[in-house]
C-alpha cells in the first residue's frame, strides 16, 4: 500500500508549529453582544462612489494620503497606507529583520501580532516582560538589545489600556539610536490624542508610529491602517509592500472618513465611548466578584474577577462575548471588555450581577 505523502512537511518548521493569532472572529461564539474585538458597536454609514472597478487601484491613494497627513499633522511623504496596522507590523519585519540573524523585541502583556508576525518570518523574539504597572522595563530592554532591529511598544497598550510614560519611550529611542527601529503602536490614540508622539518624528529617525481606522473611526471591516515615519523608512516599506494593498472601495471610504465632517463624527464617537467606559468601569467596581477595574485610555477596559472563567463562560452562553486574557503574561483572572452601547454595557452589568446573585 502506497504511503500518503504529508504535504505539510514541505512547509517551514516554524510555520508548522505556529499557533496563529486568535482573532475575535476565529474564536467564534454565537453572540448578540460582541465586546471582544474593540470595535465600535454601530455600523457607520458610507456609500461607495467609484465606478472604475475594472482598473487596478493606486498603490498609495493620493487623496487618502493627503487627508491622513493633514489629520495626523505630518507631511505626505511621511505616510504609508496598508491593510490595517497588522500589515504594517509585518512590513517592518520584512524590511528590517533578517531571519536567523536579527531579533524583534516586545513587552508582554501586549498585542499578540508582534509575536505571531516575528514567528511567521522566522525572526527571533526577544521578550522583555513589562513591569508591575505595565510600563516597559527599560533596564531589561537595555540588556537585551544585541541583534535587535525592531522594538514594538503599544501605547495605549492592548489589552491593559495604559499609556506608556513618554519619558520611557524617549529612553528606549535613545537606547535604540543607530541600532533599531522603535515602532509605537497608536491604534487607540484617538481616545487619548494628547498622548501621541507624532511630533517626535523630526527628532528621531528610527521612530515609526502605527495607526488605524479600525477603532475610533468605526471601520474595522475596512482594513485600513497607516504607518507614520520619516521618508527614508517609508521608501523602504514601499519596496516590500504588495502592489495594490488597498482596494478601490477601501480607498474611497477611507477618504470619506477623513474629511473634516468625518473627523468630527469620529470625535463624537470617542466622547460617547468615553462616557460609556466611565459608566461601565464605575459600576463594575462596586460588584463583589470584581477584584479590580484597571484605568483605561481606550475603548475597552481590563477587569480582574474573582472567577474570570465562570464570568467568561456564563456570559458567552448568554451571547455576550468578552475577551479572555488569562493566558497573557501577568493577567491571570483578567477579561477585556470592549465598550459597547449603553444598552450593551447594561447587559454586561446585569449578567454579572445575576452570577453574583446565583452564588449567594
Amino acid at each position: 500500500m502506497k504511503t500518503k505523502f504529508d504535504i505539510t512537511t514541505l512547509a517551514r518548521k516554524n510555520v508548522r508549529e505556529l499557533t496563529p493569532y486568535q482573532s475575535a472572529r476565529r474564536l467564534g461564539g454565537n453572540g448578540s453582544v460582541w465586546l471582544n474585538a474593540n470595535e465600535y458597536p454601530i455600523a457607520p454609514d458610507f456609500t461607495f462612489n467609484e465606478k472604475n472597478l475594472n482598473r487596478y487601484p493606486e498603490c498609495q491613494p493620493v487623496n487618502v494620503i493627503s487627508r491622513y497627513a493633514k489629520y495626523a499633522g505630518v507631511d505626505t511623504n511621511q505616510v504609508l497606507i496598508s491593510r490595517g496596522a497588522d500589515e504594517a507590523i509585518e512590513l517592518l519585519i520584512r524590511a528590517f529583520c533578517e531571519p536567523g540573524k536579527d531579533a524583534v523585541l516586545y513587552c508582554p502583556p501586549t498585542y499578540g501580532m508582534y509575536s505571531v508576525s516575528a514567528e511567521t518570518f522566522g525572526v527571533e523574539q526577544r521578550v522583555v516582560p513589562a513591569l508591575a504597572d505595565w510600563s516597559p522595563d527599560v533596564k531589561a530592554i537595555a540588556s537585551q538589545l544585541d541583534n535587535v532591529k525592531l522594538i514594538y511598544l503599544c501605547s495605549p497598550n492592548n489589552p491593559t489600556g495604559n499609556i506608556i510614560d513618554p519619558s520611557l519611550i524617549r529612553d528606549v529611542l535613545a537606547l535604540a539610536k543607530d541600532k533599531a527601529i522603535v515602532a509605537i503602536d497608536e491604534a487607540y490614540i484617538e481616545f487619548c490624542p494628547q498622548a501621541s508622539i507624532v511630533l517626535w518624528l523630526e527628532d528621531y529617525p528610527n521612530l515609526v508610529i502605527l495607526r488605524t481606522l479600525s477603532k475610533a473611526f468605526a471601520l474595522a471591516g475596512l482594513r485600513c491602517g497607516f504607518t507614520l515615519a520619516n521618508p527614508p523608512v517609508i521608501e523602504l516599506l514601499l519596496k516590500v509592500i504588495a502592489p495594490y494593498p488597498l482596494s478601490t472601495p477601501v480607498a474611497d471610504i477611507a477618504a470619506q472618513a477623513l474629511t473634516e465632517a468625518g473627523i468630527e463624527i469620529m470625535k463624537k464617537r470617542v466622547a460617547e465611548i468615553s462616557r460609556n467606559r466611565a459608566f461601565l468601569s464605575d459600576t463594575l467596581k462596586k460588584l463583589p466578584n470584581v477584584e479590580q477595574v484597571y484605568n483605561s485610555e481606550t475603548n475597552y477596559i481590563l477587569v480582574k474577577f474573582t472567577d474570570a472563567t465562570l464570568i467568561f463562560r456564563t456570559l458567552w452562553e448568554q451571547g455576550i462575548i468578552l475577551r479572555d486574557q488569562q493566558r497573557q503574561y501577568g493577567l491571570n483572572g483578567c477579561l477585556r471588555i470592549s465598550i459597547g452601547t449603553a444598552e450593551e454595557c447594561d447587559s454586561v452589568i446585569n449578567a454579572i450581577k445575576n452570577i453574583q446573585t446565583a452564588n449567594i
Side-chain angles (χ1 to χ4, degrees), residues 8-19:
T8 63
T9 60
L10 297 178
R12 290 160 48 204
K13 182 175 183 293
N14 64 306
V15 173
R16 293 199 306 268
E17 297 175 353
L18 176 67
T19 300

Side-chain angles (χ1 to χ4, degrees), residues 50 76 83 91 93 183 227 232 251 258 265-266 293 328:
E50 296 293 333
T76 55
R83 290 168 288 197
L91 290 174
I93 295 174
T227 302
L258 291 166
I265 291 171
M266 177 274 290
V293 179
Q328 281 252 41

Side-chain angles (χ1 to χ4, degrees), residues 157-263:
N157 187 45
N158 177 14
T160 56
N162 63 296
I163 296 170
I164 296 177
D165 185 330
S167 67
L168 298 179
I169 297 178
R170 286 194 187 276
D171 290 343
V172 174
L173 282 163
L175 288 170
K177 183 180 179 182
D178 301 329
K179 298 178 182 177
I181 297 294
V182 178
I184 306 300
D185 191 337
E186 291 190 347
Y188 299 92
I189 202 63
E190 278 77 20
F191 297 94
C192 51
Q194 75 285 353
S196 177
I197 60 168
V198 69
L199 296 179
W200 295 12
L201 285 172
E202 61 183 80
D203 298 323
Y204 295 100
N206 61 332
L207 173 62
V208 171
I209 296 171
L210 306 180
R211 298 277 192 87
T212 182
L213 297 185
S214 294
K215 311 305 179 184
F217 281 91
L219 290 170
L222 202 64
R223 307 310 301 128
C224 183
F226 299 88
T227 302
L228 308 179
N230 287 298
V233 173
I234 299 297
E235 290 165 11
L236 286 169
L237 298 182
L238 283 169
K239 292 183 176 184
V240 296
I241 199 169
Y244 310 108
L246 255 66
S247 69
T248 299
V250 169
D252 180 38
I253 294 171
Q256 295 177 51
L258 291 166
T259 61
E260 289 185 8
I263 291 169

Side-chain angles (χ1 to χ4, degrees), residues 56 66 80 88 96 109 126 146 162 172 188 214 231 240 250 281 292:
Y56 285 112
S66 62
L80 178 133
F96 290 98
R126 205 70 57 78
D146 289 347
N162 63 296
V172 174
Y188 299 92
S214 294
V240 296
V250 169
S281 298
Q292 187 168 357

Side-chain angles (χ1 to χ4, degrees), residues 125-148:
Q125 301 173 57
R126 205 70 57 78
V127 180
V128 179
L131 298 171
D133 63 353
W134 295 323
S135 61
D137 187 341
V138 176
K139 287 185 178 179
I141 290 173
S143 68
Q144 295 290 322
L145 286 181
D146 289 347
N147 301 323
V148 168

